[in-house]
Amino acid sequence: MTEFWLISAPGEKTCQQTWDKLMASTTRNNNLSTNNKFNIPDLKVGTLDVLVGLSDELAKLDSFVESVVKKVSQYMADVLEDTKDKVQENLLANGVDLVTYITRFQWDMAKYPIKQSLKNISEIIAKQVTQIDNDLKARASAYNNLKGNLQNLERKNAGSLLTRSLADIVKREDFVLDSEYLITLLVVVPKTNYIEWQKTYETLAEMVVPRSTNLLFEDQESGLFSVTLFRKAIDDFRHKARECKFTVRDFQYNEEEMKADKEEMTRLSTDKKKQFGPLVRWLKVNFSEAFIAWIHIKALRVFVESVLRYGLPVNFQAMLLQPNKKATQKKLREVLYDLYKHLDSSATGIIDVAMDIPGLNLSQQEYYPYVYYKIDCNLLDFK
């Protein structure tokens, strides 16, 4: 499972005792979860007022950073246009897979110096992730435009003969060009009507050049025929052709236009290839940055909430549990409740929506006698 429960409980005589008790209850006999200590450094506590305010701010920041992490990973999946495994390979934090990063979490002292106040650290993270979010919007918009334009051109060159571009099908020699009186038209004829076409095309209007039709191209349903006639008979010919279920395409042979279209397609295709590599590299780097920031926010939240609940001096053990199976999650909850219910007798597992404890950010949330945050590493929504 990719779901983790990040919890904390106050230190007994020592924090090691708190850890040993958890291990005994959840792994020794019943194998409910795989556990790791979650190392949070000695952060600056500050005043109670600041902690209460920070608790709410961190909850909002947590949601925002998680949304950016998901956006970056989902966009990576869109850009790679590939299988789940390929995307998963690229979603790393600090060069390791996400589960490894979380279970071996170490605070990044260089990025988030612990000599700074908690508020400053949260502001550093907010600024960093907002920048990633803004950059992603700009890069995604540019790449999507390019991709969209290319897809539109590709669509033009595919599909039914009634709608597709004919530029790559016809050649100069298929047309009577530079004539004052004659013109070559292109007509789409259903395959079932070929015999009918050959019998009737010369009589659809006056002044059709006899034996001037050629089959230039076929798809599954139809064929593209050329026919040469006098210019003044065009309207008449179109009208009669429509009655016989033959479709005259609006097409004028123009080498310059056709060349420009081909060049545009080549340019867009080259641009897309050029942008692809740097974009994937940017996504990898910034996914890692955003994910690391997100887990540091979880660490900050555990620290703040533990101090608010368990008081000073700071004495708590943060622990990361990975429930082994979906089926045993309920049992794991019960075991944790029995272990920690003495911390808060009112906490039964779900808090009343109407109840609002300042600073604990609990509205419409599960509430347990221990500090609890969920981390879900399943970030991709594959269709």
Side-chain angles (χ1 to χ4, degrees):
M1 285 185 65
T2 54
E3 185 180 304
F4 291 87
W5 296 359
L6 180 53
I7 71 166
S8 85
E12 310 261 336
K13 286 197 177 96
T14 65
C15 287
Q16 185 58 38
Q17 269 181 303
T18 305
W19 170 252
D20 292 342
K21 264 192 176 176
L22 175 84
M23 289 299 283
S25 304
T26 59
T27 61
R28 303 247 162 92
N29 312 323
N30 45 19
N31 193 26
L32 292 173
S33 59
T34 306
N35 308 330
N36 289 275
K37 283 184 180 176
F38 191 83
N39 297 312
I40 301 174
D42 294 330
L43 299 165
K44 281 189 163 182
V45 176
T47 65
L48 190 62
D49 280 0
V50 169
L51 287 181
V52 170
L54 200 55
S55 175
D56 288 339
E57 281 169 35
L58 286 171
K60 289 178 193 142
L61 189 54
D62 188 347
S63 298
F64 168 64
V65 177
E66 180 179 3
S67 76
V68 173
V69 167
K70 284 186 170 163
K71 267 191 254 179
V72 176
S73 57
Q74 197 58 52
Y75 194 59
M76 172 99 78
D78 294 350
V79 169
L80 288 173
E81 301 170 15
D82 218 322
T83 57
K84 193 169 181 172
D85 301 343
K86 186 79 180 160
V87 181
Q88 229 62 64
E89 273 170 35
N90 285 288
L91 297 179
L92 304 174
N94 248 355
V96 296
D97 67 85
L98 306 185
V99 170
T100 304
Y101 178 79
I102 297 175
T103 51
R104 297 184 191 163
F105 175 76
Q106 292 294 329
W107 187 275
D108 189 328
M109 302 286 184
K111 269 196 196 109
Y112 313 116
I114 58 171
K115 288 195 168 66
Q116 301 257 14
S117 69
L118 295 174
K119 190 157 180 54
N120 279 7
I121 294 172
S122 74
E123 281 166 2
I124 291 169
I125 293 175
K127 191 175 167 194
Q128 176 200 9
V129 178
T130 302
Q131 186 62 52
I132 291 173
D133 192 36
N134 291 339
D135 286 357
L136 175 66
K137 282 176 193 153
R139 285 167 188 266
S141 169
Y143 189 73
N144 290 350
N145 279 344
L146 191 59
K147 195 168 148 185
N149 291 341
L150 185 59
Q151 280 169 342
N152 286 341
L153 273 182
E154 282 168 350
R155 232 175 263 128
K156 267 190 188 170
N157 289 325
S160 153
L161 276 172
L162 294 166
T163 53
R164 63 165 291 170
S165 163
L166 303 176
D168 59 339
I169 290 175
V170 297
K171 300 190 237 357
R172 188 183 174 84
E173 54 266 29
D174 298 328
F175 294 83
V176 172
L177 298 169
D178 311 320
S179 163
E180 199 180 328
Y181 301 108
L182 293 173
I183 186 166
T184 302
L185 297 181
L186 298 177
V187 186
V188 179
V189 179
K191 281 190 169 172
T192 49
N193 295 31
Y194 279 9
I195 295 169
E196 183 72 12
W197 166 257
Q198 294 288 1
K199 272 192 206 160
T200 59
Y201 80 91
E202 291 177 8
T203 59
L204 292 176
E206 291 178 4
M207 303 186 179
V208 175
V209 176
R211 293 196 295 283
S212 65
T213 193
N214 286 303
L215 176 61
L216 307 180
F217 184 84
E218 285 184 299
D219 65 12
Q220 283 173 322
E221 286 91 35
S222 319
L224 185 72
F225 286 84
S226 62
V227 60
T228 303
L229 57 147
F230 278 74
R231 286 180 184 274
K232 59 180 174 189
I234 291 177
D235 290 344
D236 220 8
F237 186 88
R238 272 180 192 281
H239 180 66
K240 286 275 173 31
R242 196 181 303 123
E243 286 176 2
C244 297
K245 298 196 170 65
F246 308 141
T247 309
V248 178
R249 286 287 308 262
D250 278 324
F251 181 85
Q252 282 182 318
Y253 188 85
N254 182 324
E255 271 185 349
E256 279 173 14
E257 263 181 35
M258 284 155 63
K259 190 176 164 205
D261 275 359
K262 271 190 184 146
E263 281 170 359
E264 175 69 353
M265 183 118 170
T266 309
R267 184 187 69 76
L268 288 172
S269 187
T270 309
D271 281 0
K272 187 183 168 203
K273 282 184 191 132
K274 262 192 207 154
Q275 284 193 25
F276 177 81
L279 179 60
V280 171
R281 278 194 294 281
W282 184 90
L283 288 166
K284 280 174 78 165
V285 168
N286 287 277
F287 172 79
S288 175
E289 293 294 306
F291 188 84
I292 289 166
W294 186 39
I295 304 306
H296 279 76
I297 297 240
K298 295 288 187 194
L300 282 176
R301 290 190 78 185
V302 170
F303 183 85
V304 169
E305 222 63 31
S306 300
V307 173
L308 284 172
R309 285 211 205 179
Y310 311 141
L312 291 169
V314 174
N315 179 29
F316 67 88
Q317 178 64 53
M319 301 165 280
L320 188 73
L321 285 65
Q322 188 176 11
N324 284 337
K325 289 197 207 80
K326 192 94 180 149
T328 55
Q329 284 191 1
K330 190 165 180 276
K331 177 69 183 152
L332 181 57
R333 279 280 176 228
E334 286 164 6
V335 167
L336 292 176
Y337 179 71
D338 286 343
L339 202 52
Y340 301 123
K341 63 187 172 197
H342 64 281
L343 298 174
D344 183 349
S345 56
S346 66
T348 54
I350 301 289
I351 191 159
D352 180 358
V353 174
M355 186 172 148
D356 197 12
I357 303 172
L360 280 179
N361 190 57
L362 301 166
S363 52
Q364 296 180 305
Q365 259 187 344
E366 298 161 309
Y367 177 59
Y368 302 97
Y370 45 92
V371 171
Y372 159 78
Y373 296 106
K374 185 167 96 167
I375 303 173
D376 191 351
C377 289
N378 185 23
L379 302 166
L380 290 168
D381 179 18
F382 277 94
K383 304 292 176 279

